[in-house]
Amino acid sequence: MLNSLKNLFRRNLPAKILALIGAVVLWGFVMNDQNPSVNSSFTVPVYTINEPDGYKVSFDVREISLRVRAPRASFASVNAADFKAYLDLADAVEGNNTVKVRTVVPQGFEVIEVSDTVIDVLLEAIMEKTMAVDVQITGNTGVGSALEKIIPSTEIAKIKGTKSNVMKVARLVGYMPLAGNTTDFTSKIKLTPVDGDGEFVGGIDVSPMEIDVTAKIMDGAEKKMISIKPLYSGTTASGYRVSGAVAQPERLEVIGKTEQLGAINEINTETISVDGLSADFTKDVDLVLPEGIIAPNKRVSVRIIITKDQKK
């Protein structure tokens, strides 16, 4: 029996091998015909990994198109979310970087085309800065009253953003409307980062974003134009003397109670040192305001005029 089986197997062996090979080829042909490889495209978002701490990452290409190939039946079990594209920023440095796009596709799929093989990535350092709060008054108080002073809940705030944006910020401004008030009041004002020209600077986080500002209103106030008297002291350079001192402006409108205004005719400046001067000198100085007297501008510019002594 065993010999009969062996003889059966060996009989026409070459023909049987050829027939087996043909069957395999035919099976592959049939299967390929029933489940051929096809191409398709997917639009996928680009994400990043290994972002360095302390930097803002910016890039314009947020989606790419992947063209892939796989047996037609494979597409029935996948969707766009199974295809991924990412940027590895492990080796990125501050400034401009060109980063290769890396892809991940399901098993059995082949990537045959990528719309963007590299993407330009900008890394900008993030920085913080503490700035003084600049409260600007708008409008006026009611009749017979004047703004005595303002009291902000904080005089400093922090700004945060990319280094390039933070360096543009010249002032942190909040606007306080008086709105005709005749008594003390408190308002919540928003702080706005602006550049040297007063233009808004975007991309900046401000903390706190809003502050409370209390306005102290003086009742029964009047206004009066008062002369400004520059004060100076010291010794000029040998052979020179002070021949005059001029404030700009020379007169200033101040506010106060009637009895207070009646008692003053001029307001002094802080004392300016003229030690060693041999030429004209200009300096911004504060006014020395009497108690209860309010001036819209508390600083003036004073020019000290220096003259060379005439030889006798």
Side-chain angles (χ1 to χ4, degrees):
M1 181 67 178
L2 183 60
N3 289 333
S4 298
L5 290 175
K6 288 181 178 179
N7 291 332
L8 180 64
F9 178 75
R10 290 172 180 171
R11 187 179 304 143
N12 297 322
L13 182 60
K16 291 177 179 179
I17 292 173
L18 289 175
L20 178 61
I21 294 173
V24 171
V25 171
L26 181 60
W27 178 84
F29 175 79
V30 171
M31 291 302 296
N32 189 62
D33 185 59
Q34 295 298 317
N35 188 26
S37 292
V38 295
N39 298 339
S40 186
S41 296
F42 293 89
T43 299
V44 297
V46 179
Y47 64 95
T48 59
I49 63 172
N50 296 322
E51 289 190 9
D53 293 334
Y55 289 87
K56 178 184 178 182
V57 177
S58 304
F59 53 97
D60 292 334
V61 180
R62 292 291 174 172
E63 291 183 334
I64 65 168
S65 176
L66 288 181
R67 188 169 176 80
V68 297
R69 175 183 295 138
R72 183 168 55 191
S74 298
F75 286 92
S77 58
V78 300
N79 54 50
D82 297 319
F83 298 84
K84 303 184 185 301
Y86 67 94
L87 305 173
D88 188 347
L89 303 184
D91 297 325
V93 297
E94 183 173 359
N96 292 310
N97 299 264
T98 300
V99 183
K100 181 180 178 181
V101 177
R102 302 179 184 274
T103 59
V104 178
V105 298
Q107 186 173 0
F109 283 79
E110 174 191 1
V111 177
I112 58 177
E113 186 179 352
V114 181
S115 61
D116 295 86
T117 56
V118 295
I119 292 177
D120 292 332
V121 178
L122 175 63
L123 261 62
E124 295 183 274
I126 300 295
M127 69 175 292
E128 286 187 349
K129 185 178 180 181
T130 299
M131 299 193 69
V133 172
D134 181 7
V135 180
Q136 297 287 313
I137 303 300
T138 62
N140 297 290
T141 58
V143 177
S145 64
L147 176 66
E148 182 176 355
K149 62 181 178 179
I150 56 172
I151 306 172
S153 58
T154 179
E155 295 185 349
I156 60 172
K158 288 184 178 181
I159 61 174
K160 181 179 180 180
T162 61
K163 183 177 179 180
S164 59
N165 282 340
V166 168
M167 297 306 293
K168 293 178 185 177
V169 180
R171 294 183 300 146
L172 200 52
V173 182
Y175 296 94
M176 174 74 167
L178 295 180
N181 279 284
T182 57
T183 58
D184 297 352
F185 69 98
T186 299
S187 289
K188 191 177 293 293
I189 65 173
K190 181 181 178 181
L191 299 179
T192 302
V194 298
D195 61 17
D197 296 323
E199 297 295 328
F200 171 73
V201 179
I204 296 293
D205 294 327
V206 181
S207 179
M209 293 180 60
E210 294 182 327
I211 63 172
D212 291 328
V213 180
T214 298
K216 293 292 186 179
I217 306 297
M218 178 188 295
D219 188 27
E222 293 187 4
K223 298 178 180 180
K224 181 180 180 179
M225 292 297 295
I226 300 291
S227 297
I228 298 173
K229 181 181 180 180
L231 297 183
Y232 58 88
S233 67
T235 304
T236 59
S238 179
Y240 294 86
R241 62 183 176 85
V242 176
S243 61
V246 180
Q248 182 61 40
E250 296 181 358
R251 290 165 60 82
L252 188 68
E253 185 178 71
V254 297
I255 301 168
K257 299 283 188 179
T258 302
E259 60 274 17
Q260 293 172 315
L261 292 177
I264 60 172
N265 294 310
E266 61 184 13
I267 294 178
N268 296 334
T269 69
E270 290 183 327
T271 302
I272 302 171
S273 173
V274 298
D275 287 338
L277 292 182
S278 60
D280 291 357
F281 176 70
T282 300
K283 184 177 182 180
D284 290 340
V285 294
D286 289 335
L287 297 173
V288 181
L289 295 171
E291 185 70 25
I293 299 300
I294 304 167
N297 297 315
K298 297 181 180 180
R299 287 178 69 83
V300 295
S301 179
V302 174
R303 182 186 180 200
I304 303 295
I305 303 171
I306 304 296
T307 304
K308 191 171 184 179
D309 285 336
Q310 298 295 323
K311 292 184 179 179
K312 296 182 179 180

